Amino acid sequence: MGKGYMGKILFVDLGKGTFQEEVVPDEVYEKYLSGQGLGAYILYDRIPKDADPLGPDNILGFVSGLLTGTGSLFTGRWMVVGKSPITGGWGDANCGGTLSPAIKRCGYDGIFIKGVSKKPVYLFVDNGKPEIRDASHLWGKDTVETEELLIKEIGKKNTRVACIGPAGERLSLIAGIANDKGRIAARSGLGAVMGSKKLKAIVLSGAKRITPRNRDEIKRLSSKLNKIVQLKLPFPSGPMTAYVGTLIGKMPTQMVQDGLLYKSLLQKWGTGSMNQMSIEMGDSPIKNWKGSNEDFGLSISKATNPDVFKEREMVKYHCYSCPLGCGGICTMPSKYDSYEETHKPEYETVLVFGGLVMNKDADSIFYLNELMNRAGMDSISAGGSIAFAIECFENGILTKDDTDGLELTWGNTEAIIALAKKIIAREGIGDLLADGPKVAAEKIGKDSINYAIQAGGQALPMHDGRNDPGFALHYSVEPTPGRHTIGAQLYYEMYQLWKKVKSLPKPKFIYHKDTKYVADKQKAIMAAACSKYNQLYNGAGLCLFGAFIGASRLPIFEWLNAATGWSKSPEEYMEIGERIQTLRQAFNIKHGVDPKNFKASERALGRPPLEKGVNKGRSVDIEKMMADYWETFGWDAESGKPTKETMDRLGLNQ
Amino acid sequence: MPYTITDACTGCTACVRKCPVGAITGERKKVHKIDPDLCIECGVCGRTCPVNGAILDQLGNACTFVKPALWPKPMISIKDCMSCNICIDACPVGCLSLSKGAGPGNNHGYPYLSDEKACIGCSFCAVECPVDAITMTAPME
């Protein structure tokens, strides 16, 4: 009888051209689940501490979630893991689409690839039979072309592809890995790791059964959840979302947020539902984090209104096992009709190519979105690089001589597109910016580092820690810094973990906004809970937007027990999350990363504070918050290193 | 437990041609073999085999030949379907596809049987559908 996982992993050595299957003991799944937990367990021991992230000793892993394919919902996430060339420490990236079940249908929970091939290759796994094939004809192709050519070449209907585009081939440290024509595992620079191995793609075609212990129980739980997911709250119009944002921004107090509201927004518009609302409420940084909502007011930000993007949506896009469908496939604006369609631009992409660079041309955002998807490039980092370059130009640090003649001024749409193309091609100034804003600043000097808004080299996403200090904390304290998908004060509210894990604090229903900025022990406990839960649901292969629905409605603990036959309590599952998080931090320590260096850029912490807008006068006491978080985790409060006692308690010193 | 082939096999290779995962091997006119590591228990070998008793199912019961025209086919209730794609992924022969949108007011895509001839009637789509939106229906003779 199955336990939801496949119990096997595949190792590929591209240098030697060899394959090895390995049986994973049940105890490993009990301690780390699957997904990036399994990835951390495998990579911690096997990547030597001096391994060059872009060299043969780095191991790139593609891992599926424990719950993927069991009949559970929202569990179609796959993860890619390895040593990050951006941070020099633990790297992972998480993506939806169709690849996650395909890994398991080939008989594996993970596929791990080491070595470097002499020539471009792709890995084809045909129902458990691996083969390395020549990819010379694909090198230079974009992600969409590559996927289409490979599916044609394999000739099987159930073929799934994950590949790099030109960005990964050119070892851009902001390259990701794409599947399903443009959904990208974007962060940590793992596309460059794939490129360094000369591995263009992995191609999976399998039909193995995924067998949970009790599928009927999982289906019962899924049906119940689906009834909640399909409840639709009435939203009058896109413009209304902006006014709600304005109202939230002006109020001195705030209410605990229920994820059901976000679920409904995602269902109607996708992540773009937050575009204008977020700007208005101070959640989205403007003008490279220097401006405020007043610089990108309603009359300008209407270009990013969710209706603008919904109007072009031809069909909703659901990742595997998702009942919600926040994605969409859109037509291209006529000005940019060199491409037929694009995935609906996500919130992050809209805001980095919108407010962050002061661009008010929505059509160009569709185009930039498709350019990024086809290049296999992280749009957050690319936007961060462009905003950095514009500010350097505006301050005379870069001149037209440096920019190949581009007039890099705020909101200059044509220059922004031209620069994005140069970054993808690593051409001229694009070469300087193709590894993210921090690397560029280190090369330029002249105090330009002040304009590189990042944490540990990872460009910051479009959620402002000056509005929700929880974001600033997680940007600064996670083993993968600069992530908006792990925790925040808002996320703690929506996760509703206190309803299942009785030791966790329940937030006040209404609170004054000033209290968000008080760094206290309770906030550290909440943040640590977010991190643990995130690791747990990533191990299960579950989507953040599923987690937003709230632990009282989302039966993740019950699904896991039904899939595996275990009878673990929510507290025991949270300890698994704690173990994975601590192992990721230990990976960083092993590889010589100093956790203190992950602290987010001063500007993003409100140092100095903004002089206008919703976040006027706000700053974050990040040093105390980081120390409190580390201490809560049982890591040394001064250094962020997991203590021996903690490692022993979690069974990580064996 | 995978399907197995007994000594009654005549080596006609009908099952080899239908098996979606290439689990069956053997020389023509000799007893064939199912690789237990590859078999996914879809049962198409049993339905295809013209010799009653030559193939045993996962419980050890003898399979009987069924005309392909009578194999059960998935009937999908759009009302209950949540467009999650699980059925499409579960299909070992790729005979289900997603529509390009349901129409005005509802632009979710829904699964449909796009390649009826390829369907082997395994019912994996129905088994894996979390909301039981699929029922397997055998055509009447």
Side-chain angles (χ1 to χ4, degrees):
Chain A
M1 200 181 291
K3 290 187 172 183
Y5 48 83
M6 309 309 281
K8 270 195 311 188
I9 52 178
L10 174 69
F11 277 94
V12 181
D13 188 326
L14 291 174
K16 295 178 182 160
T18 55
F19 308 101
Q20 194 180 350
E21 269 189 11
E22 209 171 285
V23 172
V24 181
D26 287 341
E27 303 86 79
V28 173
Y29 296 96
E30 288 218 37
K31 283 178 77 175
Y32 302 96
L33 299 186
S34 190
Q36 65 194 46
L38 176 65
Y41 168 77
I42 297 292
L43 299 194
Y44 181 80
D45 286 334
R46 303 190 199 206
I47 300 181
K49 66 178 181 185
D50 52 356
D52 174 1
L54 301 180
D57 290 337
N58 196 6
I59 302 174
L60 187 69
F62 293 83
V63 281
S64 182
L66 193 148
L67 284 176
T68 300
T70 61
S72 51
L73 305 181
F74 294 105
T75 48
R77 307 293 292 186
W78 56 281
M79 287 136 273
V80 56
V81 294
K83 183 172 178 176
S84 166
I86 297 178
T87 67
W90 175 257
D92 58 42
N94 185 305
C95 190
T98 53
L99 195 80
S100 191
I103 297 170
K104 291 174 96 165
R105 299 259 181 232
C106 282
Y108 306 112
D109 293 307
I111 297 170
F112 295 88
I113 299 153
K114 67 177 288 192
V116 167
S117 171
K118 288 195 175 76
K119 57 174 190 176
V121 290
Y122 71 89
L123 171 70
F124 176 42
V125 187
D126 186 9
N127 211 32
K129 281 181 282 183
E131 188 186 337
I132 296 168
R133 291 184 172 186
D134 179 54
S136 305
H137 59 302
L138 301 167
W139 208 250
K141 303 281 185 203
D142 71 36
T143 60
V144 175
E145 292 167 337
T146 301
E147 185 170 335
E148 285 174 347
L149 285 167
L150 281 168
I151 288 172
K152 201 171 165 193
E153 192 167 311
I154 300 300
K156 290 187 169 188
K157 284 179 185 164
N158 57 358
T159 301
R160 308 284 181 243
V161 176
C163 65
I164 52 170
E169 292 175 12
R170 293 176 184 132
L171 309 186
S172 161
L173 299 190
I174 59 175
I177 301 167
N179 86 136
D180 228 5
K181 299 182 182 178
R183 298 198 86 79
I184 304 188
R187 312 234 75 195
S188 285
L190 296 173
V193 175
M194 195 158 164
S196 73
K197 296 189 177 304
K198 294 269 195 309
L199 180 65
K200 180 66 178 173
I202 67 164
V203 184
L204 308 177
S205 177
K208 293 203 182 290
R209 310 309 302 151
I210 301 165
T211 49
R213 179 60 57 98
N214 188 344
R215 188 181 287 277
D216 287 344
E217 174 63 4
I218 293 175
K219 284 171 74 161
R220 188 187 68 78
L221 294 162
S222 296
S223 280
K224 194 173 159 196
L225 174 64
N226 183 47
K227 288 194 176 89
I228 296 169
V229 173
Q230 302 308 336
L231 282 175
K232 294 192 175 74
L233 300 178
F235 287 103
S237 68
M240 202 67 174
T241 60
Y243 300 129
V244 170
T246 310
L247 189 67
I248 294 173
K250 287 193 185 306
M251 288 191 20
T253 55
Q254 204 167 312
M255 246 170 34
V256 165
Q257 302 288 298
D258 190 317
L260 270 192
L261 176 72
Y262 282 82
K263 187 272 314 172
S264 298
L265 289 165
L266 288 167
Q267 208 159 17
K268 180 161 183 178
W269 287 286
T271 54
S273 57
M274 294 299 295
N275 294 347
Q276 218 181 349
M277 188 192 306
S278 208
I279 294 167
E280 281 297 294
M281 64 194 263
D283 175 45
S284 181
I286 299 297
K287 210 175 185 180
N288 202 26
W289 300 72
K290 188 176 74 167
S292 77
N293 56 305
E294 291 183 18
D295 298 304
F296 209 71
L298 283 174
S299 61
I300 304 173
S301 69
K302 68 181 180 192
T304 66
N305 189 270
D307 281 348
V308 173
F309 297 88
K310 192 169 171 54
E311 273 166 17
R312 292 200 166 276
E313 187 179 65
M314 296 181 290
V315 62
K316 290 271 185 196
Y317 177 90
H318 293 241
C319 295
Y320 172 79
S321 81
C322 178
L324 197 147
C326 70
I329 305 296
C330 292
T331 56
M332 291 295 289
S334 55
K335 188 175 174 188
Y336 301 107
D337 61 0
S338 52
Y339 300 123
E340 272 180 31
E341 57 186 41
T342 187
H343 277 277
K344 187 169 60 185
E346 301 287 349
Y347 167 87
E348 292 289 329
T349 304
V350 175
L351 271 298
V352 292
F353 292 128
L356 197 73
V357 294
M358 301 296 285
N359 176 26
K360 51 187 178 185
D361 181 327
D363 286 357
S364 69
I365 294 174
F366 283 91
Y367 184 55
L368 284 157
N369 181 58
E370 188 60 11
L371 284 180
M372 291 292 131
N373 290 351
R374 284 177 176 261
M377 183 171 270
D378 172 23
S379 57
I380 298 174
S381 298
S385 276
I386 292 171
F388 161 82
I390 293 175
E391 195 166 352
C392 285
F393 187 86
E394 294 268 0
N395 286 290
I397 294 175
L398 292 175
T399 66
K400 268 182 153 179
D401 289 340
D402 303 308
T403 64
D404 314 320
L406 291 179
E407 191 77 34
L408 280 184
T409 50
W410 295 113
N412 183 346
T413 305
E414 283 183 20
I416 289 164
I417 290 174
L419 185 55
K421 287 180 174 174
K422 283 178 181 292
I423 292 173
I424 292 166
R426 269 198 181 277
E427 177 190 300
I429 188 172
D431 186 42
L432 181 72
L433 298 167
D435 298 320
K438 187 180 176 214
V439 172
E442 284 165 353
K443 287 180 182 167
I444 295 170
K446 302 177 190 169
D447 291 334
S448 64
I449 192 71
N450 295 329
Y451 310 144
I453 311 304
Q454 46 79 40
Q458 186 87 74
L460 292 191
M462 298 297 95
H463 296 281
D464 199 326
R466 294 166 295 189
N467 185 58
D468 180 337
F471 281 117
L473 174 61
H474 286 278
Y475 292 161
S476 304
V477 86
E478 291 291 335
T480 49
R483 296 289 175 88
H484 63 290
T485 47
I486 299 172
Q489 293 181 12
L490 170 72
Y491 290 8
Y492 185 80
E493 294 170 9
M494 295 200 290
Y495 287 160
Q496 297 186 341
L497 283 167
W498 66 89
K499 292 188 177 179
K500 283 290 177 78
V501 182
K502 298 301 172 197
S503 59
L504 289 175
K506 182 180 175 181
K508 274 187 176 174
F509 184 63
I510 295 179
Y511 51 91
H512 198 280
K513 282 179 179 170
D514 289 351
T515 63
K516 293 197 289 186
Y517 302 87
V518 179
D520 57 29
K521 194 73 187 166
Q522 175 156 307
K523 291 201 183 68
I525 292 169
M526 292 172 169
C530 285
S531 296
K532 293 174 194 174
Y533 189 48
N534 174 261
Q535 293 311 311
L536 169 71
Y537 69 70
N538 281 345
L542 198 128
C543 173
L544 171 71
F545 300 148
F548 278 174
I549 291 173
S552 62
R553 306 178 186 109
L554 180 90
I556 179 168
F557 306 117
E558 294 84 350
W559 271 334
L560 282 166
N561 281 338
T564 57
W566 304 333
S567 49
K568 290 187 190 298
S569 65
E571 286 79 4
E572 288 172 300
Y573 279 115
M574 289 295 278
E575 190 184 76
I576 295 176
E578 182 182 4
R579 183 177 296 113
I580 301 169
Q581 179 77 340
T582 301
L583 186 58
R584 291 160 84 240
Q585 184 79 342
F587 182 100
N588 281 349
I589 303 302
K590 173 182 166 181
H591 289 262
V593 171
D594 182 351
K596 293 197 288 294
N597 291 342
F598 282 179
K599 191 175 75 175
S601 296
E602 293 286 294
R603 184 186 282 179
L605 300 168
R607 300 168 179 178
L610 289 172
E611 291 175 359
K612 58 180 184 173
V614 175
N615 298 325
K616 176 183 170 185
R618 298 295 191 189
S619 61
V620 180
D621 186 0
I622 196 69
E623 288 79 8
K624 180 167 188 324
M625 290 172 79
M626 289 170 75
D628 284 351
Y629 174 97
W630 287 337
E631 196 173 24
T632 303
F633 248 102
W635 304 349
D636 181 67
E638 294 286 317
S639 66
K641 294 180 183 173
T643 63
K644 183 178 179 306
E645 294 73 28
T646 300
M647 295 287 279
D648 285 342
R649 179 173 58 79
L650 297 169
L652 292 171
N653 272 335
Q654 292 152 11
Chain B
M1 283 288 287
Y3 278 54
T4 48
I5 297 179
T6 71
D7 288 346
C9 170
T10 61
C12 74
T13 74
C15 59
V16 177
R17 290 194 296 274
K18 278 290 178 189
C19 176
V21 291
I24 308 174
T25 50
E27 281 182 48
R28 180 171 274 280
K29 297 190 178 173
K30 288 194 175 164
V31 175
H32 278 51
K33 199 180 167 198
I34 298 177
D35 183 338
D37 290 335
L38 293 178
C39 175
I40 56 169
E41 301 171 20
C42 67
V44 70
C45 52
R47 286 188 289 282
T48 307
C49 179
V51 183
N52 284 347
I55 295 183
L56 306 180
D57 71 11
Q58 66 270 53
L59 301 172
N61 299 318
C63 300
T64 50
F65 174 79
V66 182
K67 277 203 280 189
L70 298 180
W71 292 353
K73 298 278 180 284
M75 300 286 287
I76 300 162
S77 162
I78 300 302
K79 185 172 70 69
D80 299 316
C81 176
M82 51 185 179
S83 305
C84 73
N85 300 313
I86 285 179
C87 55
I88 293 173
D89 180 78
C91 177
V93 294
C95 69
L96 295 172
S97 300
L98 199 68
S99 71
K100 294 279 182 196
N106 179 3
N107 60 350
H108 291 269
Y110 291 98
Y112 67 99
L113 186 59
S114 54
D115 190 351
E116 193 172 342
K117 266 183 90 174
C119 177
I120 55 173
C122 66
S123 79
F124 290 163
C125 52
V127 169
E128 295 205 13
C129 174
V131 292
D132 291 331
I134 303 179
T135 45
M136 297 301 290
T137 310
M140 300 295 279
E141 193 159 14

